[in-house]
């Protein structure tokens, strides 16, 4: 089958690999220039954390090792208090599991190479989808508007602000929502300090400050990419270099010390928005063509569980499975793929919940004690009691199943605690 | 101030009257031709029920009497059972309050006349908003595209599928959702029977059938406009005249008898969709112009509380109040007008809830007994206990305040019932 994928970002490229492996002819259209020859966009989610769901999707294509070679493992979180005190909290019970910091641009280049290595994949850059006609796709290019014959199947992998989804949304009967947080994000850089990492590169660094937070992920060049997640008015409030410096010196003193270009970076880098988008269904017929959505185009989520790209990669595995189950009947496969919405709804909610955890709770002793108890339980009852973070980040268990399992564990833990209390009471009565 | 209103439907025209009364210069753009010279669209919400909120908004402009002269009062619901049994249930405790059946087209013509009677209102028909440029509005007309200089203030009163809102939605930070019911609607006609109304014209007729329903509203020409609210698959299922006839004869026998053109109407009339749309905020800056939304463009709701137009009319009263409070500073007034969202969120929810009541509960004896008890309470405690339907349909109490009042009444009724039970128990013990 001839398939068009709109968007040659992470998910579009990975899907191209999966579809071409199934023998389909894939044309990828991307609005930006080829990132392998042009420079990366500045200050827009420069790096991300790849964990098991993403790695599994790469592994099935034999790409995992190559990708992970460029990534830096982060086995835990490092919390930075205002007084400079550091607290490390491992992500898994035995400290062996890590999420992996990788540059979005490097990953995208690798996946583009992987996609184009398939003889039945063609990529066209500088093509911005402007409309879907009757059996045609209209693009804007530097050379003016271009109309291409649409393939029978058009998959939108064109991100949160998907142009493909815009056409699906206009169909009566398509539910849709976009919900913004009152928070913006801004990226900054901590350069190497005397040629070395300024902080431990084996952690995701968090500066939890209640309503606001900053995080930092290590890069192979020994710098860190920082991201501020602040209320919009707070971001707008620092409107002079002096105010920026003063605020950072007070709130993030250890970071301020190692950020020589802080004020100019702050002034120059754009503010991003944080949005959750939901669409239902993810497929339909537009202009006589079968249209489907994957990744952020179908279910953009906020970044606080580090699952955006991982979830999109798992979409590709799931869509591949749906094609397998339906004998590559795309109409049936896209219908079947809709079952994944139960999962993406869960991770959308968890990602929103995790923001509160990251910016506020991780700084509290009670929270850290809870995590230690949780990890102790996991070690005592291996495979029986598993934390939600472990299930989300270090397994490929469908997200909705993760929530069902957590609910079962809690019921069971409640019953066990009650049984222990009764046993204790009986013992106490006996020995009194 | 010069103000553009996009959409010369019910709410756009009424708002034009309110704004011109405040001394503003208003230009109304409407995508359809002038309805006073062209025919009405077939099978699209031909009539509606005007109640106190709508009447109040008309009264303030001296238009209420004239409009109500063309309306038919419906003081209650008439339920039609499958065996032909009729049950009348008054809307208010003393049966004196009525909602008023009126043709949307007649009302629109009257409001257009009223708007154009103001020398500072100009209406332009056949102008479909295609885009908002930098200080310009782009329209499509029969004569080709037209670019008009945009006024400083542009108000979208262009309905559920608002083109103005589409531009606002594209701003980062605007929350939006569209949610469809799995139900469609289709309009049919019950013509006069030997020159007379086929059913009692003093009621809104309902054929509650559990998952489906039909309603009928009287017209001055002694016909009734019927609307089917059925699951989409049920609407699609009746695909031959025989099936249509057979189904109606079985489910709506008394109506089928008086619908000679049933099968051809059914085949010809389109299926409408039922959608709830939410947007937040309702205002923003696009192309250097101040943009605001009112009516369905801001908050499209399903029709089951008969409040769509009434709510839109009350929007005009409220926006007029906001302009009064801010000395006609539109930026401030639109900001202030946002307070109405708490109210429109409530009526959106009530309208969805009422669908279940209308199609299912109104057919049950328990429900009718509850309504009789409620009306008895209202008569015993005048002004103290007031039903939700009464507050929504026969007062102008803000919708959110209606819900607070209902919650207070329920608490109070619960306490009273408990007190009565205790008093009863004490009495019983004493006399035992």
């Amino acid at each position: 089958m001839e398939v068009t994928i709109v968007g040659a970002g992470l998910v579009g490229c990975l899907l191209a690999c999966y579809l071409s492996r199934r023998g389909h002819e894939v044309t990828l259209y991307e609005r930006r220039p080829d990132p392998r020859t042009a420079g990366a966009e500045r200050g827009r989610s420069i790096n991300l954390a790849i964990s098991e769901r993403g790695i599994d999707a790469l592994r099935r294509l034999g790409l995992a090792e190559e990708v992970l070679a460029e990534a830096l493992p982060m086995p835990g979180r490092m919390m930075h208090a205002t007084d400079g005190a550091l607290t490390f909290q491992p992500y898994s019970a035995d400290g062996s599991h890590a999420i992996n910091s990788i540059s979005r641009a490097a990953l995208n280049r690798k996946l583009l190479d992987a996609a184009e290595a398939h003889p039945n994949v063609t990529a066209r850059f500088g093509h911005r989808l402007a409309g879907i006609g009757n059996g045609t796709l209209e693009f804007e290019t530097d050379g003016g508007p271009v109309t291409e014959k649409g393939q029978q199947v058009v998959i939108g992998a064109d991100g949160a602000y998907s142009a493909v989804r815009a056409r699906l949304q206009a169909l009566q009967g398509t539910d849709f929502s976009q919900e913004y947080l009152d928070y913006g994000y801004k990226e900054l850089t901590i350069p190497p300090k005397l040629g070395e990492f300024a902080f431990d590169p084996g952690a995701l660094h968090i500066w939890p400050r209640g309503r606001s937070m900053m995080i930092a992920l290590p890069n192979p060049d020994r710098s860190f990419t920082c991201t501020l997640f602040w209320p919009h008015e707070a971001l707008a409030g620092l409107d002079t270099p002096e105010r920026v410096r003063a605020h950072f010196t007070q709130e993030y003193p250890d970071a301020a010390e190692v950020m020589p270009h802080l004020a100019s970076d702050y002034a120059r880098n754009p503010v991003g928005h944080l949005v959750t988008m939901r669409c239902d269904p993810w497929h339909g017929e537009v202009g006589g063509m079968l249209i489907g959505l994957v990744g952020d185009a179908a279910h953009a989520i906020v970044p606080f569980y580090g699952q955006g790209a991982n979830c999109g990669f798992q979409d590709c595995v799931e869509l591949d499975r749906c094609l397998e189950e339906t004998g590559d009947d795309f109409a049936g496969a896209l219908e079947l793929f809709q079952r994944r919405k139960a999962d993406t709804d869960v991770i959308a909610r968890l990602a929103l919940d995790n923001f509160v955890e990251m910016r506020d709770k991780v700084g509290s002793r009670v929270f850290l004690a809870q995590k230690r108890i949780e990890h102790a339980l996991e070690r005592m009852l291996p495979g029986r009691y598993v934390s939600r973070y472990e299930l989300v980040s270090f397994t490929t268990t469908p997200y909705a199943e993760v929530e069902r399992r957590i609910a079962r564990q809690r019921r069971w833990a409640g019953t066990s605690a009650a049984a222990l209390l009764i046993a204790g009471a009986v013992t106490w009565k006996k020995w009194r």
Side-chain angles (χ1 to χ4, degrees), chain A:
Chain A
M1 181 84 76
E2 295 187 335
V3 180
T4 297
I5 298 177
V6 180
L10 303 181
V11 173
C13 291
L14 193 74
L15 185 62
C17 294
Y18 272 98
L19 295 184
S20 67
R21 195 175 63 160
R22 302 193 69 81
H24 302 293
E25 290 284 331
V26 179
T27 312
L28 269 167
Y29 288 98
E30 168 58 43
R31 71 179 167 83
R32 283 166 287 216
D34 190 335
R36 292 163 301 185
T37 51
E41 277 185 280
R42 190 185 178 80
R44 297 277 295 180
S45 44
I46 292 168
N47 54 6
L48 49 93
I50 281 284
S51 52
E52 183 54 23
R53 288 162 208 270
I55 297 167
D56 171 70
L58 295 166
R59 201 184 284 128
R60 289 164 187 265
L61 295 167
L63 295 169
E65 247 178 84
E66 195 184 336
V67 165
L68 288 178
E70 294 201 19
L72 292 168
M74 304 181 290
R77 297 163 164 165
M78 184 76 82
M79 269 72 74
H80 294 237
T82 320
D83 64 5
L86 298 178
T87 316
F88 181 78
Q89 180 210 314
Y91 281 128
S92 58
D94 63 0
S96 72
H97 291 152
I99 60 176
N100 304 280
S101 175
I102 189 165
S103 131
R104 173 184 294 269
L107 182 54
N108 206 154
R109 285 192 297 267
K110 228 169 233 329
L111 291 175
L112 266 173
D113 286 344
E116 285 197 327
H118 292 261
N120 47 351
V121 173
T122 314
R124 299 204 187 152
F125 297 93
H127 278 65
R128 194 181 71 77
L129 185 71
I132 301 185
N134 200 0
T136 59
L137 299 176
E138 288 137 27
F139 294 97
E140 278 171 16
T141 71
D142 278 349
V146 169
T147 299
E148 302 267 339
K149 193 184 148 298
Q151 310 297 2
Q152 285 159 282
V153 181
V154 177
I155 307 283
D158 49 347
Y161 299 96
S162 168
V164 176
R165 192 192 57 230
R167 293 303 308 268
L168 213 52
Q169 273 168 244
L171 297 182
Q172 290 204 327
T174 301
D175 287 354
F176 171 73
S177 76
Q178 60 189 39
E179 277 177 272
Y180 285 85
L181 291 186
D182 291 334
Y183 282 73
Y185 72 90
K186 187 189 279 270
E187 289 191 334
L188 300 169
T189 299
I190 297 177
K193 189 181 163 189
L194 305 173
E196 286 305 318
F197 282 106
F199 298 115
D200 181 352
L204 188 154
H205 294 261
I206 308 184
W207 288 256
R209 294 296 180 263
R211 281 200 67 217
S212 295
M213 73 165 175
M214 178 166 81
I215 65 168
L217 278 76
N219 298 312
D221 68 359
R222 301 189 177 177
S223 68
F224 280 88
T225 300
C226 297
T227 311
L228 301 173
F229 295 99
W230 288 3
H232 278 294
E233 71 273 16
L235 281 166
L238 299 191
D239 49 3
T240 64
E242 294 71 35
R243 282 194 185 144
V244 175
R245 272 267 152 231
H247 185 78
F248 275 75
T249 305
Q250 189 185 321
E251 293 289 321
Y252 312 98
D254 56 350
E257 245 174 57
V258 290
M259 296 170 86
H261 313 302
L262 169 61
S264 57
D265 273 11
Y266 190 96
R268 190 174 45 214
N269 289 352
V271 172
H273 284 74
L274 297 162
V275 68
T276 303
M277 294 196 171
R278 294 182 177 86
C279 187
D280 185 20
W282 290 332
H283 59 92
E285 204 191 294
V286 176
M289 293 169 287
L290 186 61
I291 306 285
L293 302 175
V294 291
D296 283 357
H299 46 67
I301 63 178
V302 293
F304 304 109
Y305 222 114
Q307 285 291 310
N310 290 292
C311 176
F313 280 15
Q314 199 174 25
D315 280 2
C316 299
V317 175
E318 179 63 16
L319 184 53
D320 186 57
R321 194 176 285 135
C322 293
L323 286 165
E324 185 68 34
E325 288 180 30
T326 56
D328 289 89
D329 163 30
F330 273 87
L334 288 174
E335 187 79 42
L336 201 58
F337 182 61
Q338 201 65 42
R339 68 188 176 195
R340 182 152 170 80
K341 186 159 189 300
D343 295 310
T344 61
D345 282 351
V346 164
I347 192 62
R349 183 173 53 73
L350 292 181
L352 285 165
D353 292 350
N354 221 40
F355 187 26
V356 182
E357 175 165 327
M358 286 179 82
R359 72 175 201 252
D360 204 353
K361 292 194 199 154
V362 293
S364 92
R365 276 159 200 272
V366 175
F367 175 82
L368 293 172
Q370 282 170 345
K371 283 283 162 183
R372 276 195 297 271
I373 291 169
E374 194 167 66
H375 284 163
L377 271 171
E378 287 182 79
R379 283 190 299 269
M380 278 157 54
L381 306 161
R384 181 81 197 258
Y385 185 93
V386 186
S387 75
R388 178 188 280 140
Y389 193 91
E390 176 92 21
L391 290 168
V392 168
S393 302
F394 305 127
T395 77
T396 57
T397 309
Y399 296 116
E401 177 55 29
V402 168
E403 283 308 272
R404 285 192 291 272
R405 178 155 176 186
I406 293 295
R408 280 200 303 274
Q409 283 182 179
R410 288 204 174 150
R411 277 200 301 276
W412 169 84
T415 315
S416 308
L420 278 171
L421 271 174
I422 290 166
V426 168
T427 313
W428 183 75
K429 218 172 161 184
K430 204 168 161 186
W431 289 97
R432 193 165 60 142

